[in-house]
Amino acid sequence: INSHADDIIKGRFVSLKAWLSDIKALDVTIELAETALKLLHDKDLFFVILTYLPLSHSYFRAGRLKEGAHILKNAFHLSQQLENDFISAIILHNLLFIYNEMGMRNEAERLCMQTLNKYIERFGEDNPIIGLLYIPLASLYYEANKLKSAKEYAEKSLQLCRNLDLNYILVERAEYTLILIHIAFGNTDTAYDLLKNLEIEQDNTTFIPASEILDIFEVEIALKSGNIKKVNDWVELNNLAAIKGEIKTYKKEFLTYSRYLMVEKKYREVENLLTQLARCLENEERYRILLVVYILLSLVFKAQNKDEKSTTALIQAVKIAKKGKYIRAFFNEEKDIINLLSKIKKSSPAFISNIIKESRRFLKITEEDFKELDDIETLSKREREILSLISHGYSNRDIADKLFI
C-alpha cells in the first residue's frame, strides 16, 4: 500500500488481509485486525464491523471469550445503526455461539428468540436472514436435549441458507448440529454419511478449522462404533500422546482424546489430562466444555474407586448445567453417570430429577432399573447392607451372623 494512501484505504486492505489470515486460522489475525481498526478510526463503519468478525474468531480460538463477546456486542449495535439486517444476523450468530460456549445458554436463547421474532415480523419465515439465526437456535436446543426442535431448526436453516456459502464467517454450521443429533439417536451411519458429504464439499486447503472439526467428528463416530484402530491412527497422526504438562489453550481434540483414554482404561493418564484441562477451561470461561470435563472426571474417579472425588466433580458439573439448563451433556457419556447422579440428588433435587426423567427417553435404561434406584435410595443404611448380602447369595442365618442381628 502506498505510504501516502489515506488511512481508511489502508485500513480496508489490512482488514481484508485479516480476513484471509482468519480463514487460515493464523495467529497474526489479531494483530492485523487491531491494526485495521486503528487505521479506520471509526470513519468507515461498514469495514469496522467487518473487521470485528475475524478479530472475534481469533479471540475465540485464543481462549479470550469475554473479549470476543464484547466486540461482537459492539459490532451488533453498530450494524443496527447501519440498518444492515444481514450483517446484524451474521454477527449475532457468532455472538450466540460464544455465549453458549461460556455457559450462557439461557441468555443466548432469549436473545435469539427476541431477534427472531422481530425479523419474522418484518421479513416472514422464509428469509435467509432468519435461517442464519436458526443455526445457533438448533444448537441451543440440542444442549437442552430438545432434540426434535433442534433437528427441525437445523434442517430449516439448511433450506434457507444453502446457497449463501457463509462457511468462512460463521462459527458453526447447521450440519454440525445434525451430526450430533443423529449420534444422539444412535444413527451413526446417517451421521457418518452426512459427515462424508460435508468433507466432499469442504475445500480443506482454504478453511483449516472446518477440516479439523470434521476429523474430530469422524473420530467420535469411530469411538461410538468401537472402531478403535481408526482412533489409534488419529491419535498417532496428531501426536496426542505427547501432551504433557500445563494446557494453556483449549483444543477440541482434547476431549476426544480423553474419551479414547477412558476406553483404553488409562485412568491415571486421563485424570491428569482432564485436571489440567479443567484449569485451562476455567481460565478461559468455557463453562459448557468445563461441564463435560467434570462429567468425565466423575466417571474417571469412580473407575478408580475415588468416590468422594467422583461426587465432588459431579456436583460441580450439575452447578454449571443447572445455571444454563444444559442436559444433553449427561447423556453423551457412559450410562453410569445417571446412577451417580441419583446418589447426589439432594444437591439439586428438581434439576437432577429432570435429568433422570429425560434419561428414560434417551438411554436404554428400563423403568425397573429406575424403580430399583428409587427403592434403594429410600432404604436405611442397614437395609442396604442386607440387600447387598442377599444379592451375593447369603442366607438369612449368614446375614444375621454377619450383621450381629
Short mmCIF file of all heavy atoms in Angstrom, two decimals, residues 371-394 399 403:
data_model
loop_
_atom_site.label_atom_id
_atom_site.label_comp_id
_atom_site.label_asym_id
_atom_site.label_seq_id
_atom_site.Cartn_x
_atom_site.Cartn_y
_atom_site.Cartn_z
N LYS A 371 -36.80 -47.94 39.12
CA LYS A 371 -37.56 -48.30 40.32
C LYS A 371 -36.61 -48.83 41.38
O LYS A 371 -36.71 -48.49 42.55
CB LYS A 371 -38.63 -49.36 39.99
CG LYS A 371 -39.55 -49.69 41.17
CD LYS A 371 -40.63 -50.66 40.75
CE LYS A 371 -41.63 -50.87 41.88
NZ LYS A 371 -41.03 -51.33 43.13
N GLU A 372 -35.64 -49.65 40.91
CA GLU A 372 -34.65 -50.19 41.84
C GLU A 372 -33.82 -49.08 42.46
O GLU A 372 -33.57 -49.06 43.66
CB GLU A 372 -33.74 -51.17 41.08
CG GLU A 372 -32.77 -51.90 41.98
CD GLU A 372 -31.93 -52.90 41.21
OE1 GLU A 372 -32.47 -53.55 40.30
OE2 GLU A 372 -30.73 -52.99 41.51
N LEU A 373 -33.43 -48.11 41.62
CA LEU A 373 -32.66 -46.97 42.13
C LEU A 373 -33.47 -46.19 43.17
O LEU A 373 -32.98 -45.84 44.23
CB LEU A 373 -32.28 -46.03 40.99
CG LEU A 373 -31.07 -46.40 40.15
CD1 LEU A 373 -30.94 -45.43 38.99
CD2 LEU A 373 -29.81 -46.43 40.97
N ASP A 374 -34.75 -45.93 42.84
CA ASP A 374 -35.61 -45.16 43.74
C ASP A 374 -35.82 -45.90 45.05
O ASP A 374 -35.80 -45.33 46.13
CB ASP A 374 -36.96 -44.88 43.08
CG ASP A 374 -36.83 -43.93 41.91
OD1 ASP A 374 -35.81 -43.21 41.86
OD2 ASP A 374 -37.72 -43.92 41.05
N ASP A 375 -36.03 -47.23 44.96
CA ASP A 375 -36.26 -48.03 46.16
C ASP A 375 -35.02 -48.04 47.05
O ASP A 375 -35.11 -47.88 48.26
CB ASP A 375 -36.64 -49.47 45.79
CG ASP A 375 -38.04 -49.55 45.17
OD1 ASP A 375 -38.78 -48.56 45.32
OD2 ASP A 375 -38.36 -50.57 44.54
N ILE A 376 -33.84 -48.23 46.42
CA ILE A 376 -32.59 -48.27 47.18
C ILE A 376 -32.35 -46.94 47.87
O ILE A 376 -31.89 -46.88 49.01
CB ILE A 376 -31.41 -48.61 46.25
CG1 ILE A 376 -31.53 -50.07 45.82
CG2 ILE A 376 -30.07 -48.36 46.93
CD1 ILE A 376 -30.51 -50.49 44.77
N GLU A 377 -32.74 -45.85 47.20
CA GLU A 377 -32.50 -44.52 47.76
C GLU A 377 -33.28 -44.29 49.05
O GLU A 377 -32.87 -43.54 49.93
CB GLU A 377 -32.92 -43.48 46.72
CG GLU A 377 -32.29 -42.14 46.93
CD GLU A 377 -32.61 -41.21 45.79
OE1 GLU A 377 -32.93 -41.66 44.69
OE2 GLU A 377 -32.53 -39.99 46.03
N THR A 378 -34.44 -44.96 49.19
CA THR A 378 -35.28 -44.75 50.37
C THR A 378 -34.94 -45.70 51.52
O THR A 378 -35.48 -45.58 52.60
CB THR A 378 -36.76 -44.93 49.99
OG1 THR A 378 -36.95 -46.27 49.49
CG2 THR A 378 -37.18 -43.94 48.93
N LEU A 379 -34.06 -46.70 51.29
CA LEU A 379 -33.71 -47.66 52.32
C LEU A 379 -32.73 -47.06 53.32
O LEU A 379 -31.95 -46.18 52.99
CB LEU A 379 -33.09 -48.91 51.69
CG LEU A 379 -33.98 -49.71 50.72
CD1 LEU A 379 -33.18 -50.86 50.13
CD2 LEU A 379 -35.22 -50.23 51.41
N SER A 380 -32.76 -47.60 54.54
CA SER A 380 -31.78 -47.20 55.55
C SER A 380 -30.44 -47.85 55.24
O SER A 380 -30.34 -48.73 54.38
CB SER A 380 -32.25 -47.65 56.94
OG SER A 380 -32.23 -49.07 57.00
N LYS A 381 -29.40 -47.42 55.96
CA LYS A 381 -28.07 -47.99 55.74
C LYS A 381 -28.06 -49.49 56.01
O LYS A 381 -27.50 -50.28 55.24
CB LYS A 381 -27.06 -47.28 56.64
CG LYS A 381 -25.63 -47.79 56.46
CD LYS A 381 -24.66 -47.07 57.38
CE LYS A 381 -23.24 -47.63 57.20
NZ LYS A 381 -22.29 -46.98 58.14
N ARG A 382 -28.70 -49.94 57.12
CA ARG A 382 -28.76 -51.35 57.46
C ARG A 382 -29.52 -52.14 56.41
O ARG A 382 -29.11 -53.24 56.01
CB ARG A 382 -29.40 -51.52 58.86
CG ARG A 382 -29.60 -52.99 59.31
CD ARG A 382 -28.32 -53.81 59.22
NE ARG A 382 -27.28 -53.32 60.08
CZ ARG A 382 -27.08 -53.75 61.34
NH1 ARG A 382 -27.85 -54.68 61.84
NH2 ARG A 382 -26.12 -53.26 62.06
N GLU A 383 -30.63 -51.56 55.93
CA GLU A 383 -31.41 -52.25 54.89
C GLU A 383 -30.60 -52.42 53.60
O GLU A 383 -30.69 -53.45 52.93
CB GLU A 383 -32.71 -51.47 54.61
CG GLU A 383 -33.73 -51.60 55.72
CD GLU A 383 -34.89 -50.61 55.55
OE1 GLU A 383 -34.68 -49.54 54.96
OE2 GLU A 383 -36.00 -50.93 56.01
N ARG A 384 -29.80 -51.40 53.25
CA ARG A 384 -28.96 -51.50 52.06
C ARG A 384 -27.88 -52.58 52.23
O ARG A 384 -27.53 -53.29 51.29
CB ARG A 384 -28.32 -50.15 51.74
CG ARG A 384 -29.31 -49.12 51.19
CD ARG A 384 -28.60 -47.97 50.51
NE ARG A 384 -27.78 -47.18 51.40
CZ ARG A 384 -28.22 -46.15 52.15
NH1 ARG A 384 -29.49 -45.80 52.06
NH2 ARG A 384 -27.40 -45.49 52.93
N GLU A 385 -27.36 -52.70 53.47
CA GLU A 385 -26.36 -53.75 53.74
C GLU A 385 -26.97 -55.13 53.55
O GLU A 385 -26.36 -56.03 52.96
CB GLU A 385 -25.82 -53.60 55.16
CG GLU A 385 -24.90 -52.39 55.35
CD GLU A 385 -24.50 -52.20 56.81
OE1 GLU A 385 -25.15 -52.84 57.69
OE2 GLU A 385 -23.57 -51.42 57.07
N ILE A 386 -28.19 -55.30 54.08
CA ILE A 386 -28.89 -56.59 53.95
C ILE A 386 -29.15 -56.91 52.49
O ILE A 386 -28.92 -58.04 52.03
CB ILE A 386 -30.22 -56.58 54.75
CG1 ILE A 386 -29.92 -56.49 56.26
CG2 ILE A 386 -31.06 -57.82 54.44
CD1 ILE A 386 -31.15 -56.25 57.12
N LEU A 387 -29.61 -55.91 51.73
CA LEU A 387 -29.90 -56.10 50.31
C LEU A 387 -28.64 -56.51 49.55
O LEU A 387 -28.68 -57.39 48.67
CB LEU A 387 -30.47 -54.81 49.71
CG LEU A 387 -30.99 -54.88 48.27
CD1 LEU A 387 -32.11 -55.89 48.15
CD2 LEU A 387 -31.47 -53.51 47.82
N SER A 388 -27.51 -55.90 49.90
CA SER A 388 -26.26 -56.23 49.24
C SER A 388 -25.85 -57.67 49.51
O SER A 388 -25.41 -58.40 48.61
CB SER A 388 -25.15 -55.27 49.72
OG SER A 388 -23.91 -55.64 49.18
N LEU A 389 -26.03 -58.13 50.77
CA LEU A 389 -25.66 -59.50 51.12
C LEU A 389 -26.57 -60.51 50.43
O LEU A 389 -26.12 -61.57 49.98
CB LEU A 389 -25.72 -59.68 52.64
CG LEU A 389 -24.64 -58.92 53.44
CD1 LEU A 389 -24.92 -59.00 54.93
CD2 LEU A 389 -23.26 -59.48 53.12
N ILE A 390 -27.86 -60.18 50.33
CA ILE A 390 -28.79 -61.05 49.61
C ILE A 390 -28.36 -61.21 48.17
O ILE A 390 -28.36 -62.31 47.60
CB ILE A 390 -30.24 -60.49 49.68
CG1 ILE A 390 -30.79 -60.60 51.11
CG2 ILE A 390 -31.16 -61.24 48.70
CD1 ILE A 390 -32.11 -59.89 51.30
N SER A 391 -27.96 -60.08 47.53
CA SER A 391 -27.54 -60.12 46.13
C SER A 391 -26.30 -60.97 45.92
O SER A 391 -26.03 -61.46 44.83
CB SER A 391 -27.28 -58.70 45.61
OG SER A 391 -26.12 -58.16 46.20
N HIS A 392 -25.50 -61.18 47.03
CA HIS A 392 -24.30 -62.00 46.93
C HIS A 392 -24.55 -63.44 47.38
O HIS A 392 -23.60 -64.23 47.53
CB HIS A 392 -23.16 -61.39 47.76
CG HIS A 392 -22.54 -60.19 47.12
ND1 HIS A 392 -23.05 -58.92 47.30
CD2 HIS A 392 -21.48 -60.06 46.29
CE1 HIS A 392 -22.31 -58.05 46.61
NE2 HIS A 392 -21.36 -58.72 45.99
N GLY A 393 -25.83 -63.81 47.61
CA GLY A 393 -26.19 -65.21 47.87
C GLY A 393 -26.16 -65.64 49.32
O GLY A 393 -26.21 -66.84 49.62
N TYR A 394 -26.06 -64.70 50.27
CA TYR A 394 -26.05 -65.08 51.68
C TYR A 394 -27.44 -65.54 52.12
O TYR A 394 -28.46 -64.99 51.70
CB TYR A 394 -25.62 -63.89 52.55
CG TYR A 394 -24.14 -63.59 52.49
CD1 TYR A 394 -23.60 -62.81 51.48
CD2 TYR A 394 -23.28 -64.09 53.46
CE1 TYR A 394 -22.24 -62.53 51.42
CE2 TYR A 394 -21.92 -63.81 53.43
CZ TYR A 394 -21.41 -63.03 52.40
OH TYR A 394 -20.06 -62.77 52.35
N ILE A 399 -26.65 -63.84 57.06
CA ILE A 399 -26.82 -62.38 57.20
C ILE A 399 -26.92 -61.98 58.66
O ILE A 399 -26.31 -61.00 59.11
CB ILE A 399 -28.05 -61.90 56.40
CG1 ILE A 399 -27.81 -62.09 54.89
CG2 ILE A 399 -28.36 -60.44 56.71
CD1 ILE A 399 -29.06 -61.88 54.05
N LEU A 403 -24.20 -59.57 60.46
CA LEU A 403 -24.59 -58.22 60.92
C LEU A 403 -24.95 -58.22 62.42
O LEU A 403 -25.50 -57.22 62.91
CB LEU A 403 -25.78 -57.72 60.08
CG LEU A 403 -25.51 -57.54 58.59
CD1 LEU A 403 -26.78 -57.04 57.88
CD2 LEU A 403 -24.38 -56.55 58.36
#
